[in-house]
Amino acid sequence: MDIKYDDSSKAVRCYRDYVQSSADRTAARAFRKRFGEALMSAAVKLHERLLKYPDAGTYNAIYGSTDNRIEIKRAVKEREALVLKVRVDRSYRKFFNHMIEDSNNVLLKKDWQGDFNAIKVIFVTDVNNHDYSN
């Protein structure tokens, strides 16, 4: 998959800088400060996995039974953009939109047919930390 990142979010920029260049000490230091040491290897591993597969359907065929599956975010309104999520670890989630090919438009939820194989370009909009175990 092709992964694009929202440059307007500091958290997303920090995440992007580290996973694209994990050997960069400045990016590693900023990532560690914002997200913590425990997330570093999981973030790089997930990034490499997402790049390895051509689409979300192929990725989910392999990782669909694990915590790292790509799934639809709940509580998205009908006229809003389709929001997908993937777990980076037990508490961190990475949220992204499905970008329509050959344009910078995102797919609206009402237009989606449920085909994960069509998701080839994703646009990361947020990386957050919530304790979902409770």
Side-chain angles (χ1 to χ4, degrees):
M1 279 182 282
D2 184 20
I3 305 171
K4 298 182 184 303
Y5 293 89
D6 182 4
D7 284 332
S8 66
S9 167
K10 287 182 183 179
V12 172
R13 279 195 318 264
C14 178
Y15 186 91
R16 178 204 58 208
D17 292 346
Y18 177 67
V19 296
Q20 289 182 343
S21 180
S22 59
D24 181 359
R25 292 178 59 193
T26 304
R29 193 175 316 116
F31 186 92
R32 190 178 300 114
K33 184 177 180 181
R34 181 175 286 274
F35 297 110
E37 181 84 28
L39 192 66
M40 294 179 85
S41 64
V44 171
K45 188 186 325 181
L46 177 64
H47 181 74
E48 290 171 354
R49 282 182 187 169
L50 289 172
L51 290 175
K52 181 178 173 181
Y53 295 99
D55 55 62
T58 308
Y59 175 87
N60 271 352
I62 306 296
Y63 297 103
S65 61
T66 69
D67 284 342
N68 293 120
R69 70 185 163 273
I70 296 173
E71 50 195 346
I72 300 170
K73 179 184 173 195
R74 294 185 191 148
V76 176
K77 295 178 184 169
E78 187 65 28
R79 298 192 188 276
E80 290 182 355
L82 175 70
V83 179
L84 302 164
K85 68 179 180 178
V86 65
R87 291 182 187 196
V88 181
D89 73 353
R90 300 300 278 165
S91 59
Y92 277 91
R93 302 292 187 273
K94 184 161 90 169
F95 295 97
F96 50 90
N97 299 111
H98 169 205
M99 292 187 73
I100 300 171
E101 294 180 56
D102 299 327
S103 69
N104 286 333
N105 296 324
V106 296
L107 188 66
L108 297 178
K109 186 174 182 185
K110 64 183 174 78
D111 298 335
W112 197 53
Q113 303 299 315
D115 183 14
F116 280 95
N117 293 319
I119 301 173
K120 297 178 185 339
V121 180
I122 60 175
F123 181 66
V124 178
T125 58
D126 191 20
V127 178
N128 71 20
N129 181 14
H130 292 287
D131 188 4
Y132 291 94
S133 61
N134 295 334

